[in-house]
Amino acid sequence: ETGVTQTPRHLVMGMTNKKSLKCEQHLGHNAMYWYKQSAKKPLELMFVYNFKEQTENNSVPSRFSPECPNSSHLFLHLHTLQPEDSALYLCASSQDRGQSNQPQHFGDGTRLSIL
Amino acid sequence: KNQVEQSPQSLIILEGKNCTLQCNYTVSPFSNLRWYKQDTGRGPVSLTIMTFSENTKSNGRYTATLDADTKHSSLHITASQLSDSASYICVATENDYKLSFGAGTTVTVRA
């Protein structure tokens, strides 16, 4: 148990569907992150929230829309996705965005498949 | 070009044997070097974090080394167990907060 819970664990959707990924952390952290992990490739940072404010958007297509209603919850809203968006989406949290010597705690991810 | 390169891409070892994974990075200014273990179907879990002033750090049977001059790190696994089968990810931190991830080394431990 890492203290970061992601739901659903698996998601299959068509290119015209709309779905949302959910992340919840029970660690009292202030920073939350969305990553994309494709096979044999390094993790790609997508979005960063620090104290509920979005601080980074790494040129992510607008078909991915994050939402952070409070420091414990993070959502990733999906619509009109492409087959190349199929990947493992990981959520992580850390005490603060600027505390670099603190580890990031990851959830177990949502395996997303786009048909 | 990725700023963190790991080798080998994968390796197979027999249970009880040792192995060493390599990581070279180019991030600058460098803040710290992390190793994560990722089991199949799970998220990465932190093993070690080393700042530029630390040469070695252990976590059980895992020992990480860091040479900030040559920008090289290694992760040594001692007396491997079946549960060590996983992907090991090297991460270099730049400017105190920007993480650069390697693609990982997949380790398979066989009985």
Side-chain angles (χ1 to χ4, degrees):
Chain A
E1 178 58 54
T2 66
V4 180
T5 303
Q6 291 187 242
T7 55
R9 290 296 312 279
H10 301 273
L11 179 61
V12 179
M13 57 187 285
M15 289 190 285
T16 58
N17 292 155
K18 290 184 179 181
K19 296 287 185 183
S20 295
L21 310 185
K22 179 182 177 182
C23 176
E24 182 175 0
Q25 57 97 358
H26 306 277
L27 301 169
H29 290 165
N30 298 309
M32 296 188 77
Y33 312 78
W34 277 118
Y35 288 92
K36 176 184 179 182
Q37 187 176 34
S38 302
K40 305 299 183 184
K41 295 175 68 176
L43 269 71
E44 301 172 47
L45 179 65
M46 299 175 71
F47 302 103
V48 181
Y49 278 82
N50 200 34
F51 293 93
K52 300 189 299 179
E53 297 297 321
Q54 185 179 134
T55 58
E56 286 184 51
N57 175 342
N58 281 342
S59 304
V60 180
S62 59
R63 56 186 184 268
F64 294 91
S65 174
E67 178 190 1
C68 188
N70 55 61
S71 292
S72 299
H73 293 86
L74 186 64
F75 296 89
L76 187 62
H77 304 299
L78 317 171
H79 71 95
T80 323
L81 294 192
Q82 304 300 309
E84 61 266 27
D85 297 323
S86 296
L88 180 68
Y89 288 85
L90 291 163
C91 172
S93 71
S94 66
Q95 185 59 51
D96 188 280
R97 182 70 175 112
Q99 293 187 359
S100 70
N101 289 341
Q102 297 299 314
Q104 289 188 9
H105 295 256
F106 287 84
D108 287 333
T110 295
R111 174 67 62 185
L112 178 64
S113 298
I114 306 300
L115 300 179
Chain B
K1 187 179 188 301
N2 194 29
Q3 296 191 81
V4 178
E5 298 290 340
Q6 292 187 242
S7 63
Q9 186 175 40
S10 63
L11 65 92
I12 300 173
I13 58 173
L14 292 177
E15 188 178 15
K17 299 297 185 182
N18 305 334
C19 68
T20 301
L21 315 180
Q22 310 294 340
C23 174
N24 290 293
Y25 62 91
T26 59
V27 302
S28 180
F30 171 77
S31 296
N32 59 58
L33 193 290
R34 310 167 184 225
W35 284 95
Y36 282 86
K37 177 187 179 188
Q38 185 174 20
D39 292 317
T40 301
R42 305 297 299 275
V45 175
S46 179
L47 291 176
T48 62
I49 299 177
M50 290 181 293
T51 64
F52 63 88
S53 63
E54 297 176 284
N55 299 121
T56 185
K57 182 165 281 189
S58 293
N59 180 351
R61 293 178 297 98
Y62 301 102
T63 299
T65 65
L66 174 65
D67 185 333
D69 291 331
T70 61
K71 298 189 175 184
H72 176 80
S73 177
S74 65
L75 181 69
H76 186 77
I77 305 176
T78 302
S80 60
Q81 300 178 359
L82 297 179
S83 59
D84 293 329
S85 294
S87 177
Y88 293 84
I89 302 172
C90 176
V91 186
T93 304
E94 174 186 350
N95 265 335
D96 279 342
Y97 69 92
K98 183 178 178 182
L99 274 61
S100 291
F101 290 79
T105 293
T106 301
V107 174
T108 302
V109 181
R110 291 189 173 161

